[in-house]
Amino acid sequence: MADWTAKLPEAAQAYLEGRRLDEVECIISDLPGIARGKAVPASKFARQKHFHLPDSIFFQTITGDWGEAAGDEGFIERDMILKPDMSTATAAPWTGDWTLQVIHDAYDRDDDPIPFSPRNVLKRVVDLYRQQGLKPVVAPEMEFFLVARNLDPAKAIEPMMGRSGRPAAARQAYSMTAVDEFGPVIDDIYDFAEAQGFEIDGITQEGGAGQLEINLRHGDPVKLADEVFYFKRLIREAAIRHDCFATFMAKPIEDEPGSAMHIHHSIMDIDTGKNVFVGPQGGETDAFYHFIGGLQKHLPSAIAILAPYVNSYRRYVKDHAAPINLAWARDNRTTGIRVPLSPPEARRIENRLAGMDCNPYLGIAASLACGLLGLNEELRPDPQFRGDAYAGESDIPDVLGNALDVFEEATALHEIIGPDFARVYSIVKRAEYEEFLQVISPWEREHLLLNV
């Protein structure tokens, strides 16, 4: 091993023990959460302190185009300086040789963080908490579908074939038999996660056909966002090995539940190490209610980040395991904001609005930003909701265009996540939405062609 590998995280060192490192993938997340970067020989990586990519990667839409209104800032295409965060070095165990992945942070020529980089956005929000003596802790839950290989976009997505030779069945939430149907894929997910040093808190069958959920242990927001970023790639690779696809679309199959990335939050006092949501006698504090109040007031402004695509809004459907409003309650999964059962020291607040299609850095950053605004503005939430929140009215934007309208007016949120990022994000999402509106759907052809 080269000398620099001795400083790698423990799991990466264990992965390489007795082997020669061949290649290092130098990666960074773009706005959708796709890994961009370069693969370099290990010997070259050992000699380089940084590498360059154009900042235009943050102006690309999900289809690979650029927004016409991006302006000069988007098309000068300045080089960013990408520096490795060696604490993120981890295996790429599905490759044919011995390869590591390393997440990089983006800086400009003055060594200032690039404000459009999703990881930098999350770091900015976490730093604002730290400036107030607070340390946010999060635990994401990842829902996704394993589906049959789909090579034709015009064809509906179908559940994958299970071990039994039958398609995965719906309405089998928490069924161990259903989990066993995907055994070979899950085995590879566990093996890849172990090689990468990730701790899975559990895997369960969700309500959709072929829908699974992976829970991660709570921890530092940036570290957990890194893991979700890595996990999406890991799960896709495991699925491909078994002739199926993993999809993180918010709503891939009609009449099935959507896939969420539920985000659990707690806030620690840096000096005392105690949860600020818990009072001396174990009761709920003002900070607890202010955080909920911040989510209720500001999450509508952040929906464009938590639900970033036109498909995302198909998930917010009554009685399909997704919230339709910002009611809050204790131990009630019909509400958008939930307080799970827990002992006082583990008290946390769950945001159930984020879709699994959101960028994990941006989704966590936006959720924490709304909570921080609640703390700073000392907001009080509505009274706790009693009963079935699906019986209430929807109070969140219902299409991407409306969500972007609200986001673009949210100056308080922009100050937390960064005005430059907010401007670029809006440009990219507007371009995607306008491109979508140019597409004529099968529904329109079927029902409107001869009937209107």
Side-chain angles (χ1 to χ4, degrees):
M1 280 191 187
D3 291 340
W4 67 272
T5 62
K7 299 178 181 179
L8 291 172
E10 184 177 337
Q13 290 191 47
Y15 177 70
L16 293 175
E17 188 173 356
R19 305 180 178 106
R20 182 178 66 84
L21 176 63
D22 293 303
E23 191 173 71
V24 178
E25 296 178 346
C26 307
I27 59 176
I28 187 170
S29 167
D30 68 0
L31 289 192
I34 298 167
R36 307 279 183 183
K38 296 181 180 179
V40 300
S43 57
K44 179 180 179 181
F45 181 82
R47 297 192 303 269
Q48 74 177 26
K49 294 183 179 179
H50 59 261
F51 78 102
H52 299 102
L53 283 180
D55 62 2
S56 60
I57 66 170
F58 297 123
F59 288 88
Q60 278 191 289
T61 67
I62 192 66
T63 64
D65 291 328
W66 282 266
E68 291 181 6
D72 291 341
E73 287 296 316
F75 289 96
I76 291 176
E77 288 207 285
R78 295 186 178 94
D79 268 348
M80 302 182 293
I81 299 167
L82 300 183
K83 301 179 182 179
D85 180 346
M86 294 307 297
S87 71
T88 70
T90 188
W94 48 83
T95 57
D97 54 13
W98 299 101
T99 300
L100 292 181
Q101 309 169 80
V102 180
I103 294 172
H104 286 55
D105 284 313
Y107 299 88
D108 63 20
R109 66 192 70 185
D110 296 321
D111 209 33
D112 293 323
I114 297 290
F116 324 127
S117 168
R119 196 170 194 253
N120 286 344
V121 173
L122 179 54
K123 283 187 167 187
R124 173 191 174 100
V125 174
V126 170
D127 188 57
L128 289 173
Y129 273 90
R130 287 178 179 151
Q131 290 174 26
Q132 297 181 201
L134 301 173
K135 177 185 176 183
V137 175
V138 302
E141 300 173 355
M142 301 184 295
E143 296 177 348
F144 60 95
F145 280 83
L146 295 175
V147 301
R149 289 172 63 90
N150 185 306
L151 305 181
D152 180 3
K155 181 182 177 183
I157 296 171
E158 299 175 348
M160 71 167 283
M161 199 69 70
R163 258 190 336 146
S164 65
R166 302 175 67 186
R171 315 296 187 265
Q172 298 297 322
Y174 306 108
S175 163
M176 296 310 300
T177 300
V179 169
D180 289 342
E181 282 284 277
F182 318 120
V185 183
I186 291 174
D187 287 345
D188 275 353
I189 290 173
Y190 274 124
D191 289 346
F192 289 167
E194 183 178 1
Q196 293 187 250
F198 302 150
E199 186 173 359
I200 295 175
D201 211 31
I203 294 182
T204 57
Q205 165 75 24
E206 279 293 322
Q211 187 183 32
L212 298 173
E213 176 180 289
I214 292 180
N215 298 332
L216 302 181
R217 284 187 58 80
H218 62 274
D220 174 76
V222 177
K223 180 178 181 293
L224 267 298
D226 288 340
E227 289 193 13
V228 176
F229 173 61
Y230 275 140
F231 255 106
K232 282 190 169 184
R233 189 179 183 195
L234 175 166
I235 293 166
R236 286 192 183 101
E237 293 289 345
I240 287 172
R241 278 194 170 192
H242 298 279
D243 200 36
C244 63
F245 288 167
T247 180
F248 302 96
M249 282 178 67
K251 186 80 166 181
I253 303 176
E254 294 178 18
D255 299 323
E256 296 288 354
S259 290
M261 185 182 75
H262 299 151
I263 306 169
H264 295 248
H265 322 70
S266 54
I267 310 297
M268 313 306 288
D269 183 294
I270 290 175
D271 290 336
T272 66
K274 293 182 178 179
N275 187 340
V276 303
F277 294 161
V278 183
Q281 307 303 318
E284 293 158 345
T285 62
D286 285 343
F288 170 82
Y289 290 105
H290 293 159
F291 194 97
I292 294 174
L295 294 181
Q296 285 193 321
K297 178 179 177 180
H298 293 287
L299 274 178
S301 303
I303 291 293
I305 294 176
L306 302 178
Y309 304 106
V310 289
N311 176 263
S312 307
Y313 297 83
R314 301 185 190 281
R315 180 176 149 257
Y316 300 128
V317 179
K318 283 186 178 183
D319 301 317
H320 269 67
I324 61 168
N325 55 43
L326 294 164
W328 81 274
R330 297 173 179 84
D331 192 28
N332 184 340
R333 284 184 167 84
T334 69
T335 59
I337 302 165
R338 170 177 171 256
V339 180
L341 292 175
S342 72
E345 64 273 13
R347 183 168 298 138
R348 59 197 185 275
I349 298 166
E350 178 189 10
N351 173 0
R352 296 177 61 81
L353 272 80
M356 197 60 230
D357 54 346
C358 78
N359 180 307
Y361 299 104
L362 299 181
I364 293 171
S367 195
L368 286 172
C370 293
L372 183 60
L373 285 168
L375 294 174
N376 292 344
E377 297 169 6
E378 298 184 351
L379 298 175
R380 301 297 298 186
D382 296 337
Q384 180 184 185
F385 191 88
R386 308 286 181 179
D388 181 356
Y390 292 132
E393 295 298 317
S394 175
D395 57 9
I396 57 178
D398 56 357
V399 294
L400 180 58
N402 293 347
L404 287 170
D405 291 340
V406 179
F407 174 75
E408 287 161 2
E409 298 297 322
T411 54
L413 177 65
H414 297 174
E415 287 303 312
I416 303 294
I417 62 177
D420 287 334
F421 164 75
R423 175 182 63 83
V424 169
Y425 187 82
S426 180
I427 287 167
V428 171
K429 290 299 162 183
R430 282 288 179 194
E432 289 178 356
Y433 188 53
E434 289 166 8
E435 185 174 352
F436 170 80
L437 292 176
Q438 304 304 312
V439 178
I440 308 302
S441 70
W443 186 94
E444 292 167 277
R445 289 191 290 271
E446 178 180 353
H447 298 288
L448 305 182
L449 181 67
L450 300 179
N451 294 331
V452 296

